Amino acid sequence: MPRDDQDFVDFVFSSIPTDVKKYSQEVADYSRNLSESVERHFDTVAASIRQTLQTTPWIPDSIKPPPAPVRRPLPIVPRSYIERAQDWVSRNRAVTSFIVAFIGTGAFVIWRRRRSYRQKRRAKRAANGARTEVVILAGSAFSPLTRSIALDLERRGFVVYIPVSTLAEEQTIHAELRADIHPLNIDITSPVSTAHTLDKFSANLAHPPRHGTSSTHTLHLASFIFLPSYPSTHPTGAITTLTPSQWSDTLNTHLIYPLGLLHAFLPLLLPQPQSDSQPPNPRPPTLLLLSRSLPTSLHLPDHAPESLTSTALTSYIRTLRAETPSSNLTITTLKLGDLSLSNPSRKKLALYRSQRYDSSSSGLRTPSPAEQASIEKERAAEARAQAIELRQLHNGVFDAVVGARTGTVFVGRGSWAYDFVGMWVPGGMVGWMLRRKESKRPGDEGPEGTLAGSAEWERVEDGESEEGTRVYGRA
């Protein structure tokens, strides 16, 4: 058979199954359509006959077919709150995920903060109960912040040393009548005197005084804490009005002296080779810097000396952290916000006292019961807020001393906000906000209730004190 004929036969035989399938499908479709048409036709005829029999009056009712059932609408059952909530969640999954994440994160933060508040924070002691950890508190003995932190650390089990350079500071510390808060006389201007003081201090750490028949133990330096100077000790005014003597006094008091203290104690903070007879330290030493977040972040006008010293200390600590990456020295920076250490409602009380003289009469005006109730209510609210701030400060200092929190820690109202504004908000907008605030408060002599205040001592309640301890602060 020729080649062309064979190809034609193969094509015919290969197309037969396809045609058979096609024709069978058409026949099935036609049959289905036909059956559906016949069924519809019979349904129509049956409905017509039924209608005719029902409407014919001479046919008895017993013979008439029953009427078609009436379809009644199903009653609408109101859905429950759970069903509606499930329907809303299924239609808004993205919003639901965001709400769940937000609530979950907030609940976790609140739970963690409450657990942190309930946590017992105590320094480690020897087997006989003696104190073993020493803290150097580099701050002014007259500062309310120094006093508050010293009393809290002493209550938690530390031995606190405060470097002093004058007799008045030493007497102020002795007046506290605390057995574990000691002044440390040191003169950084004399290298010989400084070396002698450090030798005595190191000998005291290695061989502490024994009390009674208690077993011997050793002390170790746990932390060195820098404390900021309160703003009232810095000169204020425009840069053009500050004299060279004011700049010299400020730099010597608030910059050179703290750096000299740190330089003197730095060999004791860095790891030293120990002999086999000496027990290892339970934890590495820490270096803690407390700085006010406001001057270092916003650089307020007329506060150039405070801004300069705070920024210089912060830069020094950053450089020291970069130079000692492999050592066991842990360096932490605590940025403080608006920390209140004064008597609550002091400004409002002074306002009411000044208004006791009525302008319409020559006598004294007694505050009304409503005014007295308002004063007491505000005092109670500010006392609670002040106790919370002090508790956050003391907990933050202790956690940084023991190395539980490192890096940069924000404590107090506005500390994180000041740092964020200073880092990301344009300087022109910050200056506009500061000028607007000053224009709204003309004649404001200073921030009452902050670290800047008068020279009189005011009693301040410690919110976490378990032994009835009270701290004192400058108003």
Side-chain angles (χ1 to χ4, degrees), residues 149-380:
I149 294 178
L151 291 175
D152 182 76
L153 291 177
E154 190 266 345
R155 181 175 60 83
R156 297 180 188 271
F158 291 97
V159 180
V160 181
Y161 283 88
I162 302 177
V164 296
S165 57
T166 61
L167 182 61
E169 292 179 337
E170 184 176 356
Q171 292 176 350
T172 301
I173 297 175
H174 284 306
E176 298 297 330
L177 301 178
R178 296 284 182 168
D180 293 297
I181 299 180
H182 309 283
L184 183 62
N185 289 285
I186 184 171
D187 183 12
I188 62 171
T189 60
S190 174
V192 178
S193 177
T194 302
H196 179 67
T197 302
L198 293 179
D199 291 341
K200 290 180 59 178
F201 181 75
S202 301
N204 190 21
L205 295 180
H207 305 283
R210 298 180 58 183
H211 301 282
T213 58
S214 61
S215 60
T216 59
H217 64 279
T218 60
L219 302 175
H220 78 278
L221 184 58
S223 180
F224 186 93
I225 304 177
F226 268 124
L227 295 182
S229 301
Y230 43 95
S232 61
T233 60
H234 291 82
T236 57
I239 296 179
T240 56
T241 61
L242 298 176
T243 62
S245 61
Q246 290 177 325
W247 281 106
S248 177
D249 295 340
T250 300
L251 295 179
N252 288 329
T253 305
H254 303 291
L255 186 60
I256 304 300
Y257 181 74
L259 294 182
L261 283 177
L262 177 59
H263 181 75
F265 285 95
L266 196 58
L268 300 180
L269 295 174
L270 295 176
Q272 300 291 334
Q274 296 181 348
S275 60
D276 297 337
S277 60
Q278 293 180 347
N281 293 338
R283 65 169 64 99
T286 59
L287 175 61
L288 179 60
L289 171 65
L290 275 72
S291 64
R292 297 181 65 236
S293 181
L294 184 61
T296 56
S297 301
L298 301 186
H299 302 288
L300 301 177
D302 299 335
H303 290 76
E306 182 184 6
S307 178
L308 175 62
T309 55
S310 301
T311 306
L313 288 176
T314 304
S315 300
Y316 181 88
I317 293 299
R318 288 181 178 178
T319 305
L320 181 62
R321 183 187 291 115
E323 292 181 356
T324 57
S326 59
S327 65
N328 292 330
L329 180 62
T330 303
I331 301 177
T332 307
T333 303
L334 253 71
K335 292 194 174 183
L336 308 180
D338 293 333
L339 200 61
S340 177
L341 296 177
S342 67
N343 194 19
S345 301
R346 178 179 177 86
K347 181 182 290 187
K348 196 162 190 175
L349 287 173
L351 178 63
Y352 278 122
R353 289 169 185 169
S354 64
Q355 291 179 349
R356 291 184 64 186
Y357 287 95
D358 195 351
S359 59
S360 61
S361 63
S362 58
L364 294 176
R365 181 177 66 85
T366 303
S368 64
E371 293 175 344
Q372 294 179 355
S374 176
I375 294 175
E376 294 300 329
K377 185 177 180 180
E378 186 172 351
R379 283 173 61 88

Side-chain angles (χ1 to χ4, degrees), residues 399-475:
D399 294 342
V401 167
V402 300
R405 304 176 71 178
T406 59
T408 302
V409 181
F410 298 95
V411 177
R413 292 175 300 177
S415 58
W416 181 86
Y418 292 148
D419 188 75
F420 178 82
V421 169
M423 184 177 298
W424 298 103
V425 178
M429 184 176 296
V430 174
W432 174 79
M433 290 189 295
L434 293 176
R435 289 191 298 269
R436 183 187 177 101
K437 184 177 180 180
E438 291 178 359
S439 62
K440 284 185 177 182
R441 295 168 54 185
D444 191 4
E445 295 180 358
E448 293 285 347
T450 60
L451 295 180
S454 63
E456 55 183 332
W457 292 97
E458 298 279 348
R459 177 167 292 185
V460 176
E461 194 74 36
D462 187 359
E464 198 193 7
S465 178
E466 299 177 359
E467 304 174 3
T469 306
R470 295 178 184 269
V471 297
Y472 294 79
R474 292 182 186 272

Side-chain angles (χ1 to χ4, degrees), residues 88-130:
W88 187 89
V89 168
S90 62
R91 287 186 287 104
N92 303 274
R93 295 185 177 182
V95 179
T96 304
S97 302
F98 175 77
I99 293 176
V100 170
F102 179 78
I103 295 177
T105 304
F108 174 75
V109 170
I110 294 174
W111 170 79
R112 186 175 181 180
R113 180 175 299 178
R114 290 185 176 179
R115 189 187 66 170
S116 176
Y117 283 170
R118 291 192 300 264
Q119 180 182 358
K120 296 295 183 181
R121 292 174 168 84
R122 294 293 181 268
K124 293 184 178 180
R125 293 177 178 261
N128 59 349

Side-chain angles (χ1 to χ4, degrees), residues 40-50:
R40 287 195 300 269
H41 178 71
F42 277 103
D43 291 340
T44 304
V45 171
S48 177
I49 294 174
R50 187 183 299 110

